[in-house]
Amino acid sequence: MCVLPAALVAEIDIAFHEDTQRWDLSNAVLEARFELSASGVFRAAGMRNRVSGQSWESAASSSPVSLRTNSFTFDDASTYRLLRQWQEQNDRGGRRLSILLEQTGGAGEVLLEFDLHENLPVLRYGARYRNTTGKEVQVLEAEPVHWEFSAGGQTFRQLRVEQWLPTLGANPGAFDRVLSNLDPTGRVSTTAGGANTRYCTWTALYDDTRRGLAVGWEFDGRMNLDIRHWAADDRLRLESRIPELNHPVAPGDEFQVPRAFLVLFHGGPDDAGYATQRFVEAALARPVPSADKFPYVVWDSWAYGEDIDEEKLRRNAAAAALMGAELFVVDMGWARSIGDWRPDPVKFPAGLRGISDYVHSLGMKFGVHFAWPHAAPESPVLRDNPDWAASTPDLFHRAPSLCLAHGPVREWIVAEALRIIDDYGVDWILQDGQNMVKQCRKTTHTHHPLDSNYANAVDGLDWIVDRIQTLRPAVEWENCENGGSMMTYQMVRNYVTSIVNDASGARAARTTVYGATYPFPARYSDRYMPEETMDSYTTRSYLFGGPWILMNRLADMQRTDLEYLSQEIQRFKQIRAAVRDGKILHLTNPPGENRIDAMAAYDPAADSIIAVVTRDGAAAATYPLRIGEFDAERSYTVTFADDSRVLTMTGAQLARTGVTVRLPSQKMAEVVYITPIPGLGGAN
Ligand SMILES: [Zn+2]
């Protein structure tokens, strides 16, 4: 082996120093170092943000590999021999370093993979265990996140975001932003993430010097991230645990520890969010379906509940097309029952193809609700195969769960999905269910009875979605776990958007978008609008975020409401790409009754802003909108959706005094547009 030439992607550099068995990884904004010591211990040596110059030095013994099988524990002190190391372009245009290690006692091989992308201060990584022992082993513990850093003499603020959990009982989350101080005496802060847990799979830490570290993980199952800070010996430790892990690995087979990533940001919560989101779009997320038309304007039939039929849908399809909708979704109620995915013969005597063809003839895409992980007790699939039910029902509208990790269930679901897509001309799947990572301890299924969390996430849910998407790649998928409670970085790989609340009205739409746009790009917060009377407070509560889904009886609405809605849909279409790609600024506290709230999207390339300011019953009739992102010397034009003023202000004025946004009604919202005046002042 010799020192490898500079990476083919010029900006990313991965160098291996054979004499010291050390790796230096860098791009324009990040450096990371790893080494295999003379005694054979693999350790992280530290990371640095090259723009801010701020470092995260690793503790003396910190290995990203942490795994326990029934016969061996791979930990910080384990020793390895380097078998091979190489680098290649990864599947998203970044660069991957692979390091294949053999445990010196013959307990198995560990393949470490590190990914870098141009201009992103993010290290993505994963570890894979290969069983070379000649006997079956079981993986009992695996840590996707296992790091220890020097705290640098600092204390830390921690940001987390809850999921949509109205069913959690006490303290139900609605994408609440949870900001806290990390206890410097070593008390643990636990973030429980994954399907049907409290938090999104992300957290950010930052200190008084604005040195920031965010971590995210790519796993739909349940995982706990534990963070501890000991100021006394200046240590910051990140550990993780996947509950109920009992994963059998046959001789020669592999076990993939779920991948995760570290974001070295500089600044506060909005900076943590923006750095994470740019990485998610570049490296993880399912590509945006259309550069100029996504997020879509959508109509969804749930305004009628299950009381739908072809005639109602046709009338609303015609109205939706007139309003400029791009996607028409038939929500729950079209099928004979949950699990019996054939059209209800009373509601749709001619089947679903007629309405699908009609929707297509109007120029819209056609979507259907498909709660494929469930089957009602009376459905043929469950009557014929009663053992296919998971041992924990996790009922969805009275329909119990199928065990997605059970081989025959997987095959049946894939076949049903292909039939539905092909027979009904489906372009969009609205996936729904209760707790998408099923819990099952049955001994009669193909998975290990005590491995349901990992098996149902990776070998169940993800396997099924991947199989269907491979066979029908043009279909776009929306994640809806009963309102948005599987907000993970595996989810973004499988779906083009996710719901973040459940037709819960204007304020909840703003509240949930506010929280979800820290960890996730704005397109992953779609909102259902149930209102049928239109005003600026209502429509603009839905203006900011992912697909805008009209969930109202469009065909029966008043003409004046439809005219207003049509104008606002045009406004949404004008700003949607800028909001989708912008740096999201949370300019106020979260939305609430008797407050004013404001969010904005900043486009760094154009140096422009779009802000939505909402007066939700507050006493004040004006709001000083201050934006700190602009060049102080440059001049900007400020315009509004409703207010006819056209203002000229400098970046310094916008940062200090701000622009006074007029909000004359108690319930209303204004849209503010700020764009630079070409050639007037400033360094740009
Ligand atoms: Zn099972």
Side-chain angles (χ1 to χ4, degrees):
M1 269 184 276
C2 62
V3 175
L4 288 166
L8 295 176
V9 178
E11 205 233 358
I12 300 171
D13 189 54
I14 297 173
F16 173 56
H17 308 282
E18 194 183 5
D19 50 344
T20 51
Q21 300 217 101
R22 173 177 154 158
W23 290 265
D24 290 326
L25 297 76
S26 67
N27 60 20
V29 294
L30 174 125
E31 288 169 8
R33 306 186 307 279
F34 297 91
E35 62 191 25
L36 188 62
S37 75
S39 56
V41 173
F42 187 85
R43 66 177 287 265
M47 295 190 296
R48 192 169 79 97
N49 179 317
R50 298 179 76 180
V51 177
S52 69
Q54 293 173 318
S55 295
W56 292 87
E57 293 305 325
S58 295
S61 61
S62 171
S63 168
V65 182
S66 178
L67 186 96
R68 185 169 71 84
T69 72
N70 54 330
S71 60
F72 191 78
T73 300
F74 299 81
D75 60 16
D76 289 342
S78 299
T79 53
Y80 303 93
R81 194 166 63 82
L82 177 64
L83 289 182
R84 205 154 75 84
Q85 64 88 41
W86 67 98
Q87 54 177 294
E88 64 206 323
Q89 187 161 320
N90 70 22
D91 57 359
R92 295 294 285 259
R95 197 122 190 106
R96 170 168 291 178
L97 167 66
S98 298
I99 302 173
L100 183 60
L101 303 169
E102 179 184 49
Q103 198 278 320
T104 49
E109 292 174 3
V110 173
L111 177 65
L112 274 160
E113 293 170 324
F114 298 99
D115 290 88
L116 284 187
H117 289 259
E118 280 188 55
N119 274 316
L120 297 171
V122 182
L123 180 70
R124 180 178 181 231
Y125 63 93
R128 215 180 301 170
Y129 163 76
R130 201 161 90 86
N131 177 8
T132 58
T133 65
K135 296 179 298 195
E136 178 176 294
V137 302
Q138 282 179 30
V139 176
L140 302 176
E141 289 178 15
E143 292 194 66
V145 182
H146 179 85
W147 299 89
E148 189 166 318
F149 298 103
S150 156
Q154 297 290 324
T155 55
F156 301 95
R157 292 280 282 166
Q158 183 179 16
L159 168 64
R160 291 177 284 179
V161 178
E162 290 180 332
Q163 307 200 73
W164 175 257
L165 292 168
T167 52
L168 197 66
N171 187 25
F175 286 87
D176 287 355
R177 177 185 71 174
V178 181
L179 271 169
S180 54
N181 292 318
L182 192 60
D183 189 319
T185 67
R187 204 171 70 143
V188 66
S189 163
T190 298
T191 304
N196 205 38
T197 62
R198 184 170 169 190
Y199 289 104
C200 302
T201 62
W202 181 83
T203 188
L205 302 171
Y206 53 99
D207 64 25
D208 285 343
T209 69
R210 297 169 66 75
R211 181 181 62 141
L213 178 72
V215 53
W217 60 96
E218 303 167 29
F219 183 52
D220 289 332
R222 294 173 293 285
M223 188 198 99
N224 292 341
L225 172 67
D226 289 344
I227 302 183
R228 291 182 183 83
H229 173 216
W230 294 271
D233 48 1
D234 203 41
R235 281 188 299 143
L236 179 72
R237 186 188 289 173
L238 288 72
E239 295 171 299
S240 54
R241 197 172 70 82
I242 297 172
E244 302 177 66
L245 191 62
N246 286 277
H247 197 79
V249 185
D253 277 3
E254 293 185 330
F255 172 83
Q256 174 75 55
V257 181
R259 291 177 196 277
F261 56 88
L262 299 176
V263 185
L264 270 61
F265 67 95
H266 174 76
D270 286 348
D271 304 289
Y274 187 49
T276 302
Q277 291 164 24
R278 285 177 60 227
F279 163 75
V280 168
E281 287 291 7
L284 300 183
R286 232 173 143 71
V288 168
S290 161
D292 56 343
K293 287 188 177 170
F294 197 83
Y296 298 136
V297 174
V298 188
W299 187 83
D300 179 293
S301 67
W302 194 244
Y304 297 94
E306 300 200 45
D307 185 20
I308 49 174
D309 56 44
E310 178 153 353
E311 190 272 331
K312 261 181 208 159
L313 294 184
R314 278 180 177 265
R315 285 199 302 128
N316 280 280
L322 275 177
M323 299 304 289
E326 293 143 325
L327 165 66
F328 183 92
V329 177
V330 182
D331 208 320
M332 198 165 91
W334 64 268
R336 296 179 187 210
S337 71
I338 293 172
D340 186 356
W341 303 108
R342 295 171 296 163
D344 183 310
V346 178
K347 298 172 183 174
F348 299 97
L352 266 195
R353 192 74 203 202
I355 183 66
S356 170
D357 288 345
Y358 181 58
V359 165
H360 286 137
S361 77
L362 295 168
M364 297 184 288
K365 289 175 182 275
F366 181 69
V368 292
H369 178 268
F370 186 24
W372 50 267
H374 292 266
E378 70 274 18
S379 64
V381 64
L382 210 49
R383 277 208 319 267
D384 294 347
N385 309 281
D387 186 49
W388 284 11
S391 64
T392 300
D394 281 322
L395 296 174
F396 178 75
H397 295 268
R398 295 180 295 104
S401 297
L402 298 171
C403 177
L404 307 183
H406 185 40
V409 173
R410 303 197 316 188
E411 300 298 339
W412 178 79
I413 290 172
V414 170
E416 281 295 278
L418 300 184
R419 181 185 61 77
I420 289 167
I421 290 167
D422 294 346
D423 287 1
Y424 311 145
V426 171
D427 309 300
W428 178 278
I429 286 175
L430 163 51
Q431 174 190 293
D432 204 356
Q434 174 66 35
N435 191 8
M436 299 298 287
V437 175
K438 302 305 179 188
Q439 307 171 80
C440 181
R441 294 201 161 195
K442 283 191 176 172
T443 55
T444 49
H445 287 181
T446 55
H447 62 87
H448 188 286
L450 300 177
D451 191 44
S452 160
N453 183 33
Y454 186 93
N456 257 288
V458 176
D459 305 328
L461 175 64
D462 296 338
W463 187 94
I464 292 167
V465 173
D466 180 69
R467 187 88 192 118
I468 300 167
Q469 291 183 342
T470 299
L471 295 169
R472 296 294 182 274
V475 178
E476 295 155 13
W477 292 55
E478 174 188 5
N479 171 50
C480 170
E481 181 182 309
N482 243 347
S485 43
M486 189 177 71
M487 295 300 279
T488 79
Y489 296 102
Q490 177 63 34
M491 181 278 289
V492 301
R493 301 172 61 79
N494 290 341
Y495 310 88
V496 297
T497 187
S498 176
I499 182 177
V500 289
N501 65 62
D502 207 354
S504 311
R507 185 178 302 129
R510 299 197 314 283
T511 307
T512 52
V513 169
Y514 181 96
T517 50
Y518 285 105
F520 295 100
R523 69 160 155 136
Y524 285 95
S525 50
D526 74 35
R527 303 149 316 294
Y528 295 155
M529 182 176 81
E531 288 91 345
E532 296 179 350
T533 304
M534 295 297 128
D535 53 36
S536 72
Y537 173 80
T538 303
T539 56
R540 290 172 194 170
S541 290
Y542 299 92
L543 212 50
F544 208 94
W548 180 3
I549 302 173
L550 314 175
M551 194 177 264
N552 49 24
R553 301 173 187 224
L554 214 48
D556 303 322
M557 280 168 56
Q558 299 293 319
R559 172 178 289 273
T560 49
D561 289 317
L562 290 172
E563 284 170 356
Y564 188 77
L565 179 58
S566 174
Q567 279 175 37
E568 293 288 278
I569 285 173
Q570 289 312 309
R571 190 182 307 287
F572 174 81
K573 289 182 175 180
Q574 285 158 12
I575 68 170
R576 60 184 167 188
V579 172
R580 178 192 70 202
D581 300 335
K583 177 180 181 181
I584 304 300
L585 305 176
H586 303 78
L587 298 168
T588 59
N589 280 323
E593 201 172 3
N594 303 323
R595 291 185 197 165
I596 288 173
D597 57 82
M599 289 184 67
Y602 174 64
D603 176 348
D607 193 27
S608 61
I609 281 265
I610 292 160
V612 178
V613 184
T614 306
R615 180 179 174 191
D616 195 349
T622 61
Y623 174 75
L625 179 70
R626 295 191 185 90
I627 307 286
E629 309 293 317
F630 293 127
D631 180 343
E633 306 291 315
R634 203 175 193 188
S635 291
Y636 297 83
T637 302
V638 183
T639 58
F640 307 87
D642 295 342
D643 191 334
S644 60
R645 287 177 298 163
V646 178
L647 308 175
T648 301
M649 298 179 76
T650 65
Q653 288 173 317
L654 285 162
R656 267 185 244 126
T657 50
V659 54
T660 301
V661 181
R662 294 173 178 166
L663 303 161
S665 311
Q666 282 220 321
K667 286 257 188 190
M668 69 163 294
E670 178 66 282
V671 186
V672 186
Y673 306 87
I674 308 177
T675 52
I677 300 175
L680 259 190
N684 298 11

